[in-house]
Amino acid sequence: MTLDVIKAAEIKKADPVFGQLSFDNHEQVVFCNDKDTGLKAIIGIHNTVLGPALGGTRMWNYANEWEALNDVLRLSRGMTFKAAITGLNLGGGKAVIIGDAKTQKTPELMKKFGEFVHSLSGKYITAEDVGMETADMDLVREVTPYVTGISEDKGGAGNPSPITAYGVYMGMKAAAKFKFGSDILEDKIVYVQGIGHVGESLVEHLTNEGAKVVIADINPERLSEVSQKYGATIYTGNDIYSEKMDIYSPCALGATINDETIYKLKAQIIAGAANNQLATEDKHGAILQERGVVYAPDFLINAGGIINVYAELEGYDKQEIMRKTENIYNTTIEILESAAKNGITTNHAAVNIAKNRIEERKKANS
Ligand code: NAD
């Protein structure tokens, strides 16, 4: 699987930032470097029309800095649309830390990263993403208030992943309703790729409902743990994309819908938590549309996490978090219907709604 990235070789190197394929009028890109802790991070602020740019921090062993830059540009843009379509008064931002979270993440590095976040005076608010834990956000909180996803005992909303998984489950059910005429997932074959924080929780919802769940992960211990806990089948083949399935749920990293995989895929629905699932939005979105595959836009259905952390800023309670997350079902149906009616991809339909909201606010502000 590729990263949330276009491979390094494809990334234009002549114009380091503004010329990047993934550059989409980002407002600000901040490169953070600290020799003592070994911190190398990039903060991407895509758009702040609706509010401060909120988005998680990902720590990943990128092959090179181009991949990291490309990732942060794509991810921060996605956050803009996610907040907009979910009706939150937030802009889009994201951060990446270059390095191995298992071996290179230290409390000093996290606090130094927090200082860089603080230097932006609240224009960017961080949270957790791949390679981060709630405890890391607690460390960042020691040096800046511009962080969410901190522990409940420290006044935060806690781990957002179960809420994200619930939203993905709602989006998946809505896609099933649209495609199959019923949102009942019992006996549907669902492949969950990546059974980390979000994937495991999603597997729980699906197995509770009686779906036939197959799990794939690069971590064999996780596989046996999750399989034993929920009775899911472990995938043992080597080409998940060619398998017979009703629903493909990417819950690891992005860009798994690409030139290599798209024509093999037999799933009728794609609904997962991973950000930026389509390697190239326009091209791969259109191929899915042609092939009658219902794609539930990632930034729409994985918004549970941002709804959860937004509660920390706005002070609403768990009940309201669940209500807003459950509403992902209705929004997904609206988007799928609107895409079908207008003959456009589901991704376009979702992006259009998000962009309209931003444009309206821009007008109102001026
Ligand atoms: P995580 O790091 O806890 O889990 C990711 C899992 O994917 C791990 O178990 C890892 O071993 C597995 N994985 C990595 N590469 C793989 C591969 N090639 N094939 C199969 N499995 C692989 O991350 P998470 O918090 O569960 O997030 C999963 C995805 O959802 C990420 O793309 C993240 O950006 C997105 N997301 C998460 C949240 C959240 O609340 N955590 C919110 C929105 C979006």
Side-chain angles (χ1 to χ4, degrees), residues 214-233:
V214 184
I215 51 176
D217 202 291
I218 48 172
N219 181 340
E221 283 135 43
R222 287 292 295 156
L223 282 170
S224 59
E225 198 185 314
V226 173
S227 161
Q228 273 167 29
K229 229 163 145 182
Y230 307 103
T233 306

Side-chain angles (χ1 to χ4, degrees), residues 27-28 44-55 76 79-85 87-94 120-126 146 306 310 313-314 354 357-362 365:
E27 288 177 15
Q28 199 173 354
I45 298 175
H46 178 248
N47 189 293
T48 56
V49 170
L50 294 176
L54 190 146
S76 54
M79 292 307 294
T80 296
F81 299 143
K82 187 184 307 201
I85 203 157
L88 309 179
N89 289 321
L90 290 173
K94 202 90 179 178
L120 293 167
S121 310
K123 189 171 181 186
Y124 169 67
I125 302 171
T126 197
Y146 305 122
I306 197 175
Y310 190 57
L313 305 175
E314 293 292 301
R357 186 166 171 243
I358 294 167
E359 277 312 307
E360 274 167 27
R361 179 70 62 86
K362 217 170 163 180
N365 286 350

Side-chain angles (χ1 to χ4, degrees), residues 1 58 82 129-131 160-161 164 193-199 216-219 222 251-253 273-275 302 305:
M1 187 174 67
R58 172 172 295 190
K82 187 184 307 201
D129 192 62
V130 175
S161 304
T164 302
Q193 182 185 42
I195 42 157
H197 292 103
V198 180
D217 202 291
I218 48 172
N219 181 340
R222 287 292 295 156
C251 293
L253 297 174
N275 288 306
N302 72 12

Side-chain angles (χ1 to χ4, degrees), residues 6 10-26 29 66 69-70 73:
I6 297 162
E10 297 166 31
I11 298 169
K12 189 178 173 195
K13 295 188 180 172
D15 304 310
V17 178
F18 301 125
Q20 287 293 304
L21 285 177
S22 307
F23 184 77
D24 181 38
N25 289 309
H26 288 67
V29 181
W66 296 104
L69 174 61
N70 186 59
L73 291 174

Side-chain angles (χ1 to χ4, degrees), residues 133-143 147 149-154:
E133 308 287 339
T134 307
D136 298 315
M137 295 305 112
D138 290 346
L139 284 167
V140 172
R141 182 68 186 85
E142 287 181 25
V143 293
V147 53
I150 54 174
S151 314
E152 286 176 273
D153 61 10
K154 292 191 164 60

Side-chain angles (χ1 to χ4, degrees), residues 65-340:
E65 291 166 15
W66 296 104
E67 281 196 1
L69 174 61
N70 186 59
D71 212 18
V72 81
L73 291 174
R74 274 166 66 87
L75 290 165
S76 54
R77 174 179 179 270
M79 292 307 294
T80 296
F81 299 143
K82 187 184 307 201
I85 203 157
T86 312
L88 309 179
N89 289 321
L90 290 173
K94 202 90 179 178
V96 296
I97 299 177
I98 301 170
D100 185 337
K102 287 201 183 85
T103 57
Q104 288 170 273
K105 190 170 65 179
T106 60
E108 293 72 30
L109 179 138
M110 287 313 304
K111 284 196 215 167
K112 184 50 78 176
F113 172 69
E115 285 174 20
F116 279 105
V117 171
H118 193 69
S119 72
L120 293 167
S121 310
K123 189 171 181 186
Y124 169 67
I125 302 171
T126 197
E128 67 173 271
D129 192 62
V130 175
M132 289 290 140
E133 308 287 339
T134 307
D136 298 315
M137 295 305 112
D138 290 346
L139 284 167
V140 172
R141 182 68 186 85
E142 287 181 25
V143 293
T144 181
Y146 305 122
V147 53
T148 55
I150 54 174
S151 314
E152 286 176 273
D153 61 10
K154 292 191 164 60
N159 178 8
S161 304
I163 315 288
T164 302
Y166 185 60
V168 171
Y169 178 56
M170 288 294 109
M172 191 185 284
K173 281 177 89 62
K177 175 84 181 158
F178 181 82
K179 181 75 184 172
F180 306 129
S182 160
D183 64 13
I184 297 170
L185 299 176
E186 192 180 359
D187 289 333
K188 294 282 182 240
I189 302 172
V190 186
Y191 273 61
V192 180
Q193 182 185 42
I195 42 157
H197 292 103
V198 180
E200 175 176 352
S201 216
L202 177 64
V203 168
E204 184 175 7
H205 288 296
L206 292 170
T207 49
N208 281 345
E209 198 182 328
K212 292 180 177 153
V213 180
V214 184
I215 51 176
D217 202 291
I218 48 172
N219 181 340
E221 283 135 43
R222 287 292 295 156
L223 282 170
S224 59
E225 198 185 314
V226 173
S227 161
Q228 273 167 29
K229 229 163 145 182
Y230 307 103
T233 306
I234 296 175
Y235 181 61
T236 51
N238 55 17
D239 189 11
I240 192 172
Y241 306 101
S242 301
E243 300 296 333
K244 182 177 171 293
M245 65 181 89
D246 297 304
I247 301 171
Y248 165 54
S249 184
C251 293
L253 297 174
T256 59
I257 316 294
N258 54 45
D259 288 347
E260 254 170 62
T261 61
I262 198 159
Y263 290 107
K264 292 196 255 179
L265 208 62
K266 295 186 178 62
Q268 297 188 66
I269 290 173
I270 300 171
N275 288 306
N276 299 333
Q277 291 164 23
L278 305 177
T280 309
E281 281 177 20
D282 289 350
K283 177 181 173 188
H284 298 115
I287 298 173
L288 292 177
Q289 185 190 9
E290 266 165 42
R291 294 169 70 86
V293 179
V294 172
Y295 168 64
D298 46 20
F299 64 86
L300 167 66
I301 72 168
N302 72 12
I306 197 175
I307 292 171
N308 192 61
V309 295
Y310 190 57
E312 281 178 33
L313 305 175
E314 293 292 301
Y316 54 74
D317 61 12
K318 274 269 179 259
Q319 237 180 337
E320 182 60 7
I321 292 172
M322 294 316 282
R323 195 197 60 73
K324 281 193 188 326
T325 306
E326 206 157 290
N327 197 42
I328 288 176
Y329 182 103
N330 297 326
T331 317
T332 306
I333 296 268
E334 269 169 44
I335 301 285
L336 299 182
E337 284 176 350
S338 145

